Amino acid sequence: MDWGWVQDHLDEIQSLFFQHAQFTLLALVYGFAIAFPLALAATRWPRLYTPILGLTGILFTIPSIALFMLMMPFTGPTATTCLIALTIYTLLVLVRNTVEGLRGVPREVREAAEAMGYRRFKQLFRVELPIALPVIIAGIRIAVVTTIGLVTITALIGFGGLGALFIDGFRQAFGTPIIVGFTLSVLFAVVADVALVGAQRMLTPWARGAGGR
Amino acid sequence: MITFNSVSKRFADGTTAVDSLSLEVPDGEIAVFVGPSGCGKTTTLRMVNRMIEPTDGVIEVDGKNILKEDPAELRRRIGYVIQQIGLFPHRTIRENIGTVPGLVGWDKKRTQERVDELIEVVGLQEDSGDRYPHELSGGQQQRVGVARALAVDPPIMLMDEPFGAVDPIVRTRLQEEFLRLQQEVQKTIVFVTHDIDEAIKMGDRIALLSQGGHLEQYATPEEMLASPANEFVADFLGGERGLKQLALISVSDVDAQSGPVVTLEDTRAHASEVAGDANTDWVVVVDDARHLRGWVSIEELNGQRNVGEGNIHAFSAEVKSGDSLRTALNAMVTSRTGVAARVGEGGIYEGIVTHRLINEELSKPAQHTPD
């Protein structure tokens, strides 16, 4: 471990970390923006669920490097390529957990809401989504942790956040950048996950001790 | 008033759930829909707030065709209580009760006051207001369910087996409390159950439905028990129809016979004469202020100068004017005398209830208006 190298490269490490965080956040935001309407559609029309899940599932199984190669002819080695890939990988878990969360709303609760005189959209946003929130957040947690890991791979096309440190280290057969990159990305994942758990506890005080509902 | 006019419901698979149903639920009354599973009772209930749409026919609430109203608006004017309760798990008890006031746009203060009032009315503990539903017992949750349905004081309530999921002791208590509450609030209620005893207890009228949604009889519990329309109704009412009927008549509805009554100071000879006139071998004993002391057998008075010296037995059960004739009958069969002694305020003797009185009451034509 060469602390002198770390000292000399603090600025670089910092900007790589921000890039990493930025990619993660954007991938999640785009992913959710696509997954949420898909999940609503799959809940509203159950017949759509299997094809939607199948499609996002197939996308999820494409090896990341193969996906980059597939996209190269269209978007080139750009940040866009990275973001599209990262976004695609979040879809499966976000769609699945949102649908499962909404399906987990007890039938009698939905029936009661309807009978109280809720209109469809208000019922969705005021009753069903809040009740589905713990399951949805569980999906977001998985997506965040997975994405933080995946960002390091996008370093292969030049936009990899902390992953760039791995490549540097390999090229120079020099361990320090690898250790720094590894430690920071693991720490980032852990901190993000803990933060999401905290957010969930704050947003769903009713779910404590409710048997995980 | 809720009016069903030739209402039918056929499902897409061809089954008929409700078959040309016509009946009226008068204002302020509880109409209980009862029948075996598959008789369309829940379907009928759910057509009133348009959770299910009829295939044919018209349902009117206060003369207005509900199919011409906006479903959400309609539902906000109809309270809804179901067996599974369906409280919102993510909202506190107060927020649950305040649901419909929120939907119809009451301000915070008005909602708060109403919620406070309802927490008291349905018998919830004050401190349960800020809890979440899962922290309450089933019985308490159903109280919240009832409070939530009453929140904007809707004129109509739909109750689908509301007390079906709680244990028998809690159920009896909730039923009685609800009947007391109903006397005050006078809602027009459609109440669904599969339990004929609950129907008899809760209903001002009972609609007995059979498989496929045929209405077999629509009558007051008294009428139905006294003259079931057909064999299906008689079967469904069960084997203890007479007893069920007695449970609906209170002791004060029949005139008590004064019975063979003597005071403590009366002589043996007098007691013997009174018993002889009444064709019994015992007499009822009261004191000067007509407090019931018990009964004494003439044989046991042998050798005593007056009644007070005799061996006075307490009646195994005394009945009060509010008790049912069924309770009186139970007292009669467990007493050596074969009658039930009826007492009023402060233990004052009012008379005796005999088998003959009960027979006469059962053979009367049914009362047509429940009180």
Side-chain angles (χ1 to χ4, degrees), chain B residues 176-256:
Chain B
E176 276 158 16
E177 285 179 12
F178 187 76
L179 284 174
R180 264 202 301 280
L181 181 60
Q182 165 67 358
Q183 291 202 325
E184 281 171 45
V185 296
Q186 301 274 321
K187 300 296 178 196
T188 307
I189 298 172
V190 173
F191 188 112
V192 161
T193 180
H194 64 268
D195 176 1
I196 186 66
D197 292 314
E198 187 176 44
I200 292 169
K201 182 171 185 181
M202 303 301 288
D204 294 311
R205 278 156 210 275
I206 299 176
L208 182 46
L209 299 162
S210 59
Q211 206 76 29
H214 296 282
L215 180 63
E216 299 289 344
Q217 189 170 8
Y218 184 49
T220 64
E222 291 84 354
E223 272 177 67
M224 192 175 277
L225 285 164
S227 40
N230 56 39
E231 207 164 312
F232 178 86
V233 178
D235 278 352
F236 201 84
L237 290 170
E240 294 175 344
R241 233 165 61 213
L243 288 178
K244 285 171 182 164
Q245 224 174 324
L246 289 182
L248 293 174
I249 306 168
S250 71
V251 168
S252 58
D253 290 343
V254 299
D255 304 319

Coordinates of all heavy atoms in Angstrom, one line a residue, chain B residues 176-256:
Chain B
E176 N -74.2 -6.8 20.3 CA -75.1 -6.0 21.2 C -74.8 -4.6 21.2 O -75.7 -3.7 21.2 CB -75.0 -6.6 22.6 CG -76.0 -7.8 22.7 CD -75.6 -8.8 23.8 OE1 -74.8 -8.4 24.7 OE2 -76.1 -9.9 23.8
E177 N -73.5 -4.3 21.2 CA -73.1 -2.8 21.1 C -73.6 -2.2 19.9 O -74.0 -1.1 19.9 CB -71.6 -2.7 21.2 CG -71.0 -2.9 22.6 CD -69.5 -2.8 22.6 OE1 -68.9 -2.3 21.6 OE2 -68.9 -3.2 23.6
F178 N -73.5 -3.0 18.8 CA -73.9 -2.4 17.5 C -75.4 -2.1 17.5 O -75.9 -1.1 17.0 CB -73.5 -3.2 16.3 CG -73.8 -2.6 15.0 CD1 -73.0 -1.5 14.6 CD2 -74.9 -2.9 14.3 CE1 -73.3 -0.9 13.4 CE2 -75.2 -2.2 13.1 CZ -74.4 -1.2 12.7
L179 N -76.2 -3.0 18.1 CA -77.6 -2.8 18.1 C -78.0 -1.6 18.9 O -78.9 -0.8 18.6 CB -78.3 -4.1 18.7 CG -78.4 -5.3 17.7 CD1 -79.0 -6.5 18.4 CD2 -79.3 -4.9 16.5
R180 N -77.3 -1.4 20.0 CA -77.5 -0.2 20.9 C -77.2 1.0 20.1 O -77.9 2.0 20.1 CB -76.6 -0.3 22.1 CG -77.3 -0.8 23.3 CD -76.7 -0.4 24.6 NE -75.3 -0.8 24.7 CZ -74.9 -2.0 25.1 NH1 -75.8 -2.9 25.4 NH2 -73.6 -2.3 25.2
L181 N -76.0 1.0 19.4 CA -75.6 2.1 18.5 C -76.6 2.4 17.5 O -77.0 3.6 17.2 CB -74.2 1.8 17.9 CG -73.6 2.8 17.0 CD1 -73.3 4.1 17.8 CD2 -72.3 2.3 16.5
Q182 N -77.2 1.4 16.9 CA -78.1 1.5 15.8 C -79.4 2.2 16.3 O -80.0 2.9 15.5 CB -78.5 0.1 15.2 CG -79.7 0.0 14.3 CD -79.6 0.9 13.0 OE1 -78.6 1.5 12.8 NE2 -80.6 0.8 12.2
Q183 N -79.8 2.0 17.5 CA -81.0 2.6 18.1 C -80.8 4.1 18.0 O -81.7 4.9 17.9 CB -81.2 2.2 19.5 CG -81.6 0.7 19.6 CD -82.4 0.4 20.8 OE1 -82.1 1.0 21.9 NE2 -83.4 -0.4 20.7
E184 N -79.5 4.6 18.2 CA -79.2 6.0 18.2 C -79.1 6.5 16.8 O -79.7 7.5 16.4 CB -77.9 6.3 18.9 CG -78.0 6.4 20.4 CD -76.6 6.4 21.0 OE1 -75.8 7.2 20.5 OE2 -76.3 5.7 21.9
V185 N -78.3 5.8 16.0 CA -78.0 6.4 14.6 C -79.0 6.1 13.6 O -79.1 6.8 12.6 CB -76.6 5.9 14.2 CG1 -75.5 6.5 15.1 CG2 -76.5 4.4 14.1
Q186 N -79.8 5.0 13.8 CA -80.9 4.7 12.8 C -80.5 4.7 11.4 O -81.1 5.3 10.5 CB -82.0 5.8 13.0 CG -82.6 5.9 14.4 CD -83.7 4.9 14.6 OE1 -84.5 4.7 13.7 NE2 -83.8 4.3 15.8
K187 N -79.4 3.9 11.1 CA -79.0 3.8 9.7 C -79.9 2.8 9.0 O -80.5 1.9 9.6 CB -77.5 3.2 9.7 CG -76.5 4.1 10.4 CD -76.4 5.5 9.7 CE -75.5 6.4 10.4 NZ -75.7 7.8 10.0
T188 N -79.9 2.9 7.7 CA -80.5 1.9 6.8 C -79.5 0.9 6.4 O -78.5 1.3 5.8 CB -81.1 2.6 5.6 OG1 -82.0 3.7 6.0 CG2 -81.9 1.6 4.7
I189 N -79.6 -0.3 6.9 CA -78.5 -1.3 6.8 C -78.8 -2.5 6.0 O -79.8 -3.1 6.2 CB -78.0 -1.6 8.2 CG1 -77.5 -0.4 9.0 CG2 -76.9 -2.7 8.2 CD1 -77.2 -0.6 10.4
V190 N -77.9 -2.9 5.1 CA -77.9 -4.2 4.5 C -76.8 -5.0 5.2 O -75.7 -4.6 5.2 CB -77.7 -4.2 3.0 CG1 -77.6 -5.6 2.4 CG2 -78.9 -3.4 2.3
F191 N -77.2 -6.1 5.8 CA -76.3 -6.9 6.6 C -76.3 -8.3 6.1 O -77.4 -8.9 6.0 CB -76.9 -6.8 8.1 CG -76.0 -7.4 9.1 CD1 -75.4 -6.6 10.1 CD2 -75.7 -8.8 9.2 CE1 -74.6 -7.1 11.1 CE2 -74.9 -9.3 10.2 CZ -74.4 -8.5 11.2
V192 N -75.1 -8.8 5.8 CA -75.0 -10.2 5.2 C -74.5 -11.1 6.3 O -73.5 -10.8 6.9 CB -74.2 -10.2 3.9 CG1 -73.7 -11.6 3.6 CG2 -74.9 -9.6 2.8
T193 N -75.1 -12.3 6.4 CA -74.5 -13.3 7.3 C -74.9 -14.7 6.7 O -75.9 -14.8 6.0 CB -74.9 -13.1 8.7 OG1 -74.3 -14.2 9.5 CG2 -76.5 -13.2 8.9
H194 N -74.2 -15.7 7.2 CA -74.7 -17.1 6.8 C -75.3 -17.7 8.1 O -75.8 -18.8 8.0 CB -73.5 -17.9 6.3 CG -72.4 -18.1 7.3 ND1 -71.4 -17.3 7.5 CD2 -72.3 -19.1 8.3 CE1 -70.6 -17.7 8.5 NE2 -71.2 -18.8 9.0
D195 N -75.3 -17.0 9.2 CA -75.7 -17.5 10.5 C -77.1 -17.1 10.8 O -77.4 -15.9 11.0 CB -74.7 -17.0 11.5 CG -75.1 -17.4 12.9 OD1 -76.1 -18.1 13.1 OD2 -74.3 -17.0 13.8
I196 N -78.0 -18.0 10.8 CA -79.4 -17.6 11.0 C -79.7 -17.0 12.3 O -80.5 -16.1 12.5 CB -80.4 -18.9 10.7 CG1 -81.9 -18.5 10.8 CG2 -80.1 -20.0 11.7 CD1 -82.3 -17.5 9.7
D197 N -78.9 -17.5 13.3 CA -79.1 -16.9 14.7 C -78.7 -15.4 14.7 O -79.4 -14.6 15.3 CB -78.3 -17.7 15.7 CG -78.9 -19.1 15.9 OD1 -80.1 -19.2 16.0 OD2 -78.1 -20.1 15.9
E198 N -77.6 -15.1 14.0 CA -77.2 -13.7 13.9 C -78.3 -12.9 13.2 O -78.6 -11.8 13.5 CB -75.9 -13.6 13.2 CG -75.3 -12.2 13.3 CD -73.9 -12.0 12.7 OE1 -73.6 -12.6 11.6 OE2 -73.1 -11.3 13.3
A199 N -78.8 -13.5 12.1 CA -79.9 -12.9 11.3 C -81.1 -12.5 12.2 O -81.6 -11.4 12.2 CB -80.3 -13.7 10.1
I200 N -81.5 -13.5 13.0 CA -82.7 -13.3 13.9 C -82.4 -12.2 14.9 O -83.2 -11.4 15.2 CB -83.1 -14.6 14.6 CG1 -83.6 -15.6 13.5 CG2 -84.1 -14.4 15.7 CD1 -83.7 -17.0 14.0
K201 N -81.1 -12.2 15.4 CA -80.8 -11.3 16.4 C -80.6 -9.8 15.9 O -81.1 -8.9 16.5 CB -79.4 -11.7 17.0 CG -78.9 -10.8 18.2 CD -77.8 -11.5 18.8 CE -77.3 -10.7 20.0 NZ -76.1 -11.3 20.6
M202 N -80.0 -9.7 14.7 CA -79.7 -8.4 14.2 C -80.8 -7.8 13.3 O -80.9 -6.6 13.2 CB -78.4 -8.4 13.4 CG -77.2 -9.0 14.1 SD -76.7 -8.0 15.5 CE -76.1 -6.5 14.9
G203 N -81.6 -8.7 12.7 CA -82.5 -8.2 11.7 C -83.8 -7.6 12.1 O -84.5 -8.1 13.0
D204 N -84.2 -6.4 11.6 CA -85.6 -6.0 11.6 C -86.4 -6.8 10.6 O -87.5 -7.0 10.8 CB -85.7 -4.5 11.3 CG -85.0 -3.6 12.4 OD1 -85.2 -3.9 13.6 OD2 -84.2 -2.8 12.0
R205 N -85.7 -7.1 9.5 CA -86.3 -8.0 8.5 C -85.2 -8.9 8.1 O -84.0 -8.6 8.1 CB -86.7 -7.1 7.3 CG -88.0 -6.5 7.4 CD -88.1 -5.3 6.5 NE -89.0 -4.3 7.1 CZ -90.3 -4.4 6.9 NH1 -90.8 -5.3 6.1 NH2 -91.0 -3.5 7.5
I206 N -85.6 -10.1 7.6 CA -84.7 -11.1 7.1 C -85.0 -11.4 5.7 O -86.2 -11.7 5.4 CB -84.7 -12.3 7.9 CG1 -84.3 -12.0 9.4 CG2 -83.7 -13.4 7.4 CD1 -84.4 -13.2 10.3
A207 N -84.0 -11.3 4.8 CA -84.3 -11.8 3.4 C -83.5 -13.2 3.3 O -82.3 -13.2 3.4 CB -83.7 -10.9 2.4
L208 N -84.3 -14.2 3.2 CA -83.7 -15.6 3.1 C -83.5 -15.9 1.6 O -84.5 -16.0 0.9 CB -84.5 -16.6 3.9 CG -84.0 -18.0 4.0 CD1 -82.5 -18.1 4.3 CD2 -84.8 -18.8 5.0
L209 N -82.3 -16.2 1.2 CA -82.0 -16.5 -0.2 C -81.5 -17.9 -0.3 O -80.9 -18.4 0.6 CB -80.9 -15.5 -0.7 CG -81.2 -14.0 -0.7 CD1 -79.9 -13.2 -0.8 CD2 -82.2 -13.7 -1.8
S210 N -81.9 -18.5 -1.5 CA -81.4 -19.9 -1.7 C -80.4 -19.8 -2.9 O -80.3 -18.8 -3.6 CB -82.5 -20.8 -2.0 OG -83.3 -20.4 -3.1
Q211 N -79.7 -20.9 -3.1 CA -78.8 -21.1 -4.3 C -79.3 -20.4 -5.5 O -80.5 -20.5 -5.9 CB -78.7 -22.6 -4.5 CG -77.4 -23.0 -5.2 CD -76.2 -23.0 -4.1 OE1 -76.5 -23.2 -3.0 NE2 -75.0 -22.7 -4.6
G212 N -78.4 -19.6 -6.2 CA -78.8 -19.0 -7.4 C -79.6 -17.7 -7.2 O -80.1 -17.1 -8.1
G213 N -79.6 -17.2 -6.0 CA -80.2 -15.9 -5.7 C -81.7 -15.8 -5.7 O -82.2 -14.8 -6.2
H214 N -82.4 -16.9 -5.3 CA -83.8 -16.8 -5.3 C -84.2 -16.3 -3.9 O -83.7 -16.8 -2.9 CB -84.5 -18.2 -5.4 CG -84.3 -18.8 -6.8 ND1 -85.0 -18.4 -7.9 CD2 -83.4 -19.7 -7.2 CE1 -84.5 -19.1 -8.9 NE2 -83.6 -19.9 -8.5
L215 N -85.1 -15.3 -3.8 CA -85.6 -14.8 -2.6 C -86.7 -15.8 -2.1 O -87.7 -15.9 -2.7 CB -86.1 -13.4 -2.7 CG -86.7 -12.8 -1.4 CD1 -85.6 -12.6 -0.4 CD2 -87.3 -11.4 -1.7
E216 N -86.5 -16.5 -1.0 CA -87.5 -17.5 -0.5 C -88.5 -16.8 0.4 O -89.7 -17.1 0.4 CB -86.8 -18.6 0.3 CG -85.8 -19.4 -0.6 CD -86.5 -20.3 -1.6 OE1 -87.7 -20.5 -1.5 OE2 -85.8 -20.7 -2.5
Q217 N -88.0 -15.8 1.2 CA -89.0 -15.1 2.1 C -88.3 -13.8 2.6 O -87.1 -13.8 2.8 CB -89.4 -16.0 3.3 CG -90.5 -15.3 4.1 CD -91.1 -16.3 5.2 OE1 -90.5 -17.4 5.4 NE2 -92.2 -15.9 5.8
Y218 N -89.1 -12.8 2.7 CA -88.6 -11.5 3.2 C -89.6 -11.1 4.2 O -90.8 -10.8 3.9 CB -88.5 -10.5 2.1 CG -87.9 -9.1 2.5 CD1 -86.7 -9.1 3.2 CD2 -88.5 -8.0 2.2 CE1 -86.2 -7.9 3.6 CE2 -88.0 -6.7 2.5 CZ -86.8 -6.7 3.3 OH -86.3 -5.5 3.7
A219 N -89.2 -11.2 5.5 CA -90.2 -10.9 6.6 C -89.4 -10.6 7.8 O -88.2 -10.6 7.9 CB -91.0 -12.2 6.8
T220 N -90.2 -10.1 8.8 CA -89.6 -9.9 10.1 C -89.2 -11.2 10.7 O -89.8 -12.3 10.4 CB -90.6 -9.2 11.1 OG1 -91.6 -10.1 11.3 CG2 -91.1 -7.9 10.5
P221 N -88.2 -11.3 11.6 CA -87.8 -12.5 12.2 C -89.0 -13.2 12.9 O -89.2 -14.4 12.7 CB -86.8 -12.1 13.3 CG -86.3 -10.8 12.8 CD -87.4 -10.2 12.1
E222 N -89.9 -12.5 13.5 CA -91.1 -13.0 14.2 C -92.0 -13.7 13.2 O -92.4 -14.9 13.4 CB -91.8 -11.9 14.9 CG -91.1 -11.3 16.1 CD -90.2 -10.2 15.8 OE1 -90.0 -10.0 14.6 OE2 -89.6 -9.6 16.7
E223 N -92.3 -13.0 12.1 CA -93.1 -13.6 11.1 C -92.5 -14.9 10.5 O -93.2 -15.9 10.3 CB -93.3 -12.6 9.9 CG -94.4 -11.6 10.0 CD -94.3 -10.7 8.8 OE1 -94.6 -11.2 7.7 OE2 -94.0 -9.5 9.0
M224 N -91.2 -14.8 10.2 CA -90.6 -15.9 9.5 C -90.6 -17.1 10.4 O -90.9 -18.2 10.0 CB -89.1 -15.5 9.1 CG -88.5 -16.5 8.2 SD -86.9 -15.9 7.7 CE -87.3 -14.8 6.3
L225 N -90.3 -16.9 11.7 CA -90.3 -18.0 12.6 C -91.7 -18.6 12.8 O -91.9 -19.8 12.9 CB -89.7 -17.6 14.0 CG -88.2 -17.4 14.0 CD1 -87.7 -16.6 15.2 CD2 -87.5 -18.8 14.0
A226 N -92.7 -17.7 12.9 CA -94.0 -18.2 13.1 C -94.6 -18.8 11.9 O -95.3 -19.8 12.0 CB -94.9 -17.0 13.6
S227 N -94.4 -18.3 10.7 CA -94.9 -18.9 9.5 C -93.9 -18.9 8.4 O -94.0 -18.0 7.5 CB -96.2 -18.2 9.1 OG -96.1 -16.8 9.3
P228 N -93.0 -19.8 8.4 CA -92.0 -19.9 7.3 C -92.8 -20.2 6.0 O -93.7 -20.9 5.9 CB -91.2 -21.1 7.7 CG -91.7 -21.7 8.9 CD -92.8 -20.9 9.4
A229 N -92.3 -19.5 4.9 CA -93.0 -19.5 3.6 C -93.0 -20.9 3.0 O -93.9 -21.3 2.3 CB -92.4 -18.5 2.7
N230 N -92.0 -21.7 3.2 CA -91.9 -23.0 2.6 C -90.9 -23.9 3.3 O -90.3 -23.5 4.4 CB -91.5 -22.9 1.1 CG -90.2 -22.1 1.0 OD1 -89.2 -22.3 1.8 ND2 -90.1 -21.2 0.0
E231 N -90.7 -25.1 2.8 CA -89.9 -26.0 3.5 C -88.4 -25.6 3.6 O -87.8 -25.8 4.6 CB -89.9 -27.4 2.8 CG -89.7 -28.5 3.7 CD -90.2 -29.8 3.1 OE1 -91.3 -29.8 2.5 OE2 -89.4 -30.8 3.0
F232 N -87.9 -24.9 2.5 CA -86.6 -24.5 2.6 C -86.3 -23.5 3.7 O -85.4 -23.6 4.5 CB -86.2 -23.8 1.2 CG -84.8 -23.2 1.2 CD1 -83.7 -24.0 0.8 CD2 -84.6 -21.9 1.6 CE1 -82.5 -23.5 0.8 CE2 -83.3 -21.4 1.6 CZ -82.2 -22.2 1.2
V233 N -87.3 -22.6 3.9 CA -87.2 -21.6 5.0 C -87.2 -22.3 6.3 O -86.4 -22.1 7.2 CB -88.3 -20.5 4.9 CG1 -88.2 -19.6 6.0 CG2 -88.2 -19.8 3.6
A234 N -88.2 -23.2 6.4 CA -88.3 -24.0 7.7 C -87.0 -24.7 8.0 O -86.5 -24.7 9.2 CB -89.5 -24.9 7.6
D235 N -86.5 -25.4 7.0 CA -85.2 -26.1 7.2 C -84.1 -25.2 7.6 O -83.3 -25.5 8.5 CB -84.8 -26.8 5.9 CG -85.5 -28.1 5.7 OD1 -86.2 -28.5 6.7 OD2 -85.4 -28.7 4.6
F236 N -84.0 -24.0 6.9 CA -82.9 -23.1 7.2 C -83.0 -22.5 8.6 O -82.0 -22.3 9.3 CB -82.8 -22.0 6.2 CG -81.5 -21.4 6.1 CD1 -80.5 -21.9 5.4 CD2 -81.2 -20.2 6.9 CE1 -79.2 -21.4 5.3 CE2 -80.0 -19.6 6.8 CZ -79.0 -20.2 6.1
L237 N -84.3 -22.4 9.1 CA -84.5 -21.8 10.4 C -84.0 -22.8 11.5 O -83.7 -22.4 12.6 CB -85.9 -21.4 10.6 CG -86.4 -20.2 9.8 CD1 -87.9 -20.0 9.9 CD2 -85.7 -18.9 10.3
G238 N -84.1 -24.1 11.1 CA -83.5 -25.1 12.1 C -84.6 -25.7 13.0 O -85.8 -25.3 12.9
G239 N -84.1 -26.6 13.8 CA -85.1 -27.4 14.6 C -85.6 -26.8 15.8 O -86.5 -27.3 16.5
E240 N -85.1 -25.6 16.2 CA -85.6 -25.1 17.5 C -86.3 -23.8 17.2 O -86.1 -22.7 17.9 CB -84.4 -24.8 18.4 CG -83.7 -26.1 18.8 CD -82.5 -25.9 19.6 OE1 -81.9 -24.8 19.6 OE2 -82.0 -26.9 20.2
R241 N -87.2 -23.8 16.2 CA -87.9 -22.6 15.8 C -88.6 -21.9 17.0 O -88.6 -20.7 17.2 CB -88.8 -22.9 14.7 CG -88.6 -22.0 13.5 CD -89.3 -22.6 12.3 NE -90.7 -22.7 12.5 CZ -91.5 -23.6 12.0 NH1 -90.9 -24.6 11.2 NH2 -92.7 -23.7 12.1
G242 N -89.3 -22.8 17.8 CA -90.1 -22.3 18.9 C -89.2 -21.5 19.9 O -89.5 -20.4 20.3
L243 N -88.1 -22.1 20.2 CA -87.2 -21.5 21.1 C -86.6 -20.2 20.6 O -86.5 -19.2 21.3 CB -86.0 -22.4 21.4 CG -86.3 -23.6 22.3 CD1 -85.1 -24.5 22.5 CD2 -86.9 -23.2 23.7
K244 N -86.3 -20.2 19.3 CA -85.8 -19.0 18.6 C -86.8 -17.9 18.7 O -86.5 -16.7 18.9 CB -85.4 -19.2 17.2 CG -84.1 -20.0 17.1 CD -83.7 -20.5 15.7 CE -82.4 -21.3 15.8 NZ -82.2 -22.1 14.6
Q245 N -88.1 -18.3 18.5 CA -89.2 -17.3 18.6 C -89.3 -16.7 20.0 O -89.4 -15.5 20.2 CB -90.5 -18.0 18.2 CG -91.4 -17.3 17.3 CD -92.5 -18.2 16.9 OE1 -92.4 -19.4 16.8 NE2 -93.7 -17.6 16.8
L246 N -89.2 -17.6 21.0 CA -89.3 -17.2 22.4 C -88.2 -16.2 22.7 O -88.4 -15.2 23.5 CB -89.2 -18.3 23.3 CG -90.4 -19.2 23.4 CD1 -90.2 -20.3 24.4 CD2 -91.7 -18.4 23.7
A247 N -87.0 -16.4 22.1 CA -85.9 -15.5 22.3 C -86.2 -14.0 21.9 O -85.5 -13.1 22.4 CB -84.6 -16.0 21.7
L248 N -87.1 -13.9 21.0 CA -87.4 -12.6 20.4 C -88.5 -11.8 21.2 O -88.8 -10.7 21.0 CB -87.9 -12.7 19.0 CG -86.9 -13.1 18.0 CD1 -87.5 -13.3 16.6 CD2 -85.7 -12.1 17.9
I249 N -89.2 -12.6 22.2 CA -90.3 -12.0 22.9 C -89.8 -11.7 24.3 O -89.2 -12.6 24.9 CB -91.5 -12.9 23.0 CG1 -91.9 -13.3 21.5 CG2 -92.7 -12.3 23.7 CD1 -92.9 -14.5 21.5
S250 N -90.0 -10.5 24.8 CA -89.5 -10.3 26.2 C -90.7 -10.6 27.2 O -91.9 -10.5 26.9 CB -89.0 -8.9 26.3 OG -90.0 -8.0 26.3
V251 N -90.2 -10.9 28.4 CA -91.2 -11.2 29.5 C -92.2 -10.1 29.6 O -93.4 -10.4 29.9 CB -90.4 -11.4 30.8 CG1 -91.3 -11.5 32.0 CG2 -89.6 -12.7 30.7
S252 N -91.8 -8.9 29.4 CA -92.8 -7.8 29.6 C -93.9 -7.7 28.5 O -94.9 -7.0 28.7 CB -92.1 -6.4 29.7 OG -91.4 -6.2 28.5
D253 N -93.6 -8.5 27.4 CA -94.7 -8.5 26.3 C -95.9 -9.3 26.7 O -96.9 -9.2 26.1 CB -94.1 -9.1 25.1 CG -93.1 -8.2 24.4 OD1 -93.1 -7.0 24.8 OD2 -92.3 -8.6 23.6
V254 N -95.7 -10.2 27.7 CA -96.9 -11.0 28.1 C -97.4 -10.6 29.5 O -96.6 -10.1 30.3 CB -96.6 -12.5 28.1 CG1 -96.2 -13.0 26.7 CG2 -95.5 -12.9 29.1
D255 N -98.7 -10.7 29.8 CA -99.2 -10.4 31.1 C -98.8 -11.5 32.0 O -99.2 -12.6 31.8 CB -100.7 -10.2 31.0 CG -101.1 -9.2 30.0 OD1 -100.4 -8.1 29.9 OD2 -102.1 -9.4 29.2
A256 N -98.2 -11.1 33.1 CA -97.8 -12.1 34.1 C -99.1 -12.5 34.9 O -100.0 -11.7 35.1 CB -96.8 -11.6 35.1

